[in-house]
Amino acid sequence: MADYREAPLATRPKTLDPAEYFNLSLNQRRAEEERAGLRAQLKRQYQMQLNNPHRKELIEDPALTRWVYARTNPYNHFRATKKTSLLGGLFGVVPLFVLYYVLKTDREEKRPCIYS
Amino acid sequence: MHLQFGCNPPTKSQRRRSEEKNTKKTLDFPKLSPDACVFHCSMSPQQLNMAAVGFRNWARALSKGKQPGFSALFSQVRAASGPSKGMLPGPYPQTPEERAAAAKKYNMRVEDYEPIPDNGEGYGDYPQLPDRSQHERDPWYSWDHPDLRRNWGEPIHWDFDMFIRNRVDTSPSPVAWHTMCKHLFGFVGFMLLMFYLGEKFPSYQPVAPKQYPYSNLHLERGEDPEKQPEEVKHFNI
């Protein structure tokens, strides 16, 4: 394993990371075990639903539901800070004025050429 | 006529921790007795329940005399067929207990759970996951959803739709990112500069206005044939 070189343009897999093998403290090991436990439980739940012969509906993924909900409802937790106000002004208010100014000036310049 | 179905089973994440204590290994689907089903319908029980509840709420809200008609549609009543309020994302956690509850909700360890910093941009308590695209995940592991390289129930990155395998790739690049940026923008900038200078200071063969024969095409231009054509001098020697 010492001479493993990852494939070009690929990240080194977590299982081949040298930090995973050498000088691991007990806490790190315990943390990895807990994470593996969580993963295993989720896998088990999914497999139980997947292979249930009496299941007629789609398997609902609560993580997906939460993600969709979080992405579609940001304004529940929106606060007007300096940064958000600046961004809102920059993308919502300034283009209105800039576009009006640019288009109006351009049209005023073209006007005599058209109506001469 | 009222279709009676059992309540929805507790969501899978809620039962996750107590799974070990549960002795029976079968899934709790609502127990339907034969006389509970009034008739068979093509929609699934959940859809019908949701539709019935939603319609009933809407009708009840509209018929209430207190609320004006239009704002009654925006009442706080929500159908009970989706996840409960506690399972959906909420506000930024302030206390350690809220943090622990949020970590449990998102199926993460309490130590791993780190909410996105609260800067008012509307993230709430959504966890901050590493910004790694799905390209970087192990292609040989048996994922539940192999095309997305994701397992069921795993917390989804906020920008997951950006990190799928058709889109942004955060894999290591052959040369460092800043080097690539310098090379590209340096080249493009140089070319732009040179084209601009070429426009500003053109250099070409000496040219002069076109010279026409027959006294500057006197007759062809429709002038008087009797009149003497004017002399046009094109050069000075």
Side-chain angles (χ1 to χ4, degrees), chain B residues 207-217 232-236:
Chain B
V207 291
K210 195 165 172 63
Q211 301 172 9
Y212 294 95
Y214 302 115
S215 317
N216 205 21
L217 296 175
V232 181
K233 210 164 173 47
H234 293 289
F235 47 86
N236 279 322

Side-chain angles (χ1 to χ4, degrees), chain B residues 59-73:
Chain B
R60 194 195 302 139
L62 269 187
S63 61
K64 261 200 189 134
K66 294 189 276 190
Q67 289 172 337
F70 186 71
S71 70
L73 294 172

Side-chain angles (χ1 to χ4, degrees), chain B residues 131-149:
Chain B
D131 290 337
R132 296 254 165 273
S133 107
Q134 303 300 95
H135 292 85
E136 295 199 34
R137 297 206 175 189
D138 188 357
W140 298 105
Y141 174 79
S142 58
W143 302 99
D144 291 336
H145 306 295
D147 50 339
L148 298 170
R149 290 188 186 167

Side-chain angles (χ1 to χ4, degrees), chain B residues 11 17 19 38 47-48 60 225 227-228 230:
Chain B
T11 57
R17 298 267 188 207
E19 277 254 275
V38 181
Q47 272 180 318
L48 197 62
R60 194 195 302 139
K227 210 160 120 217
Q228 202 56 359
E230 56 273 3

Side-chain angles (χ1 to χ4, degrees), chain B residues 4-10 28-31 46 49 80:
Chain B
Q4 204 50 268
F5 295 92
C7 68
N8 281 328
D28 306 340
F29 273 99
K31 298 283 185 289
Q46 279 180 326
N49 203 12

Side-chain angles (χ1 to χ4, degrees), chain A residues 25-60:
Chain A
S25 68
L26 279 176
N27 279 337
Q28 281 171 305
R29 284 182 199 268
R30 199 172 300 129
E32 283 301 323
E33 297 270 319
E34 281 183 27
R35 286 188 204 119
L38 284 175
R39 264 202 304 275
Q41 285 183 1
L42 289 172
K43 277 271 194 192
R44 182 182 170 278
Q45 281 191 13
Y46 181 64
Q47 291 296 326
M48 291 286 277
Q49 285 178 286
L50 191 65
N51 300 322
N52 182 5
H54 301 297
R55 176 177 66 87
K56 286 198 282 286
E57 62 275 335
L58 289 176
I59 304 178
E60 178 204 343

Side-chain angles (χ1 to χ4, degrees), chain A residues 62-78, chain B residues 87-90 106 116 121-129 131 155-164 167-168:
Chain A
L64 189 67
T65 318
R66 277 192 289 271
W67 179 72
V68 169
Y69 181 87
R71 284 284 293 257
T72 47
N73 297 313
Y75 297 110
N76 292 347
H77 309 295
F78 178 81
Chain B
M87 297 312 294
L88 288 174
Y106 288 109
I116 301 179
E121 287 183 359
Y123 292 112
D125 64 356
Y126 207 81
Q128 173 72 282
L129 297 160
D131 290 337
I156 303 182
H157 193 285
W158 184 270
D159 292 318
F160 178 73
D161 51 350
M162 181 173 83
F163 285 134
I164 59 171
R167 297 181 182 173
V168 171

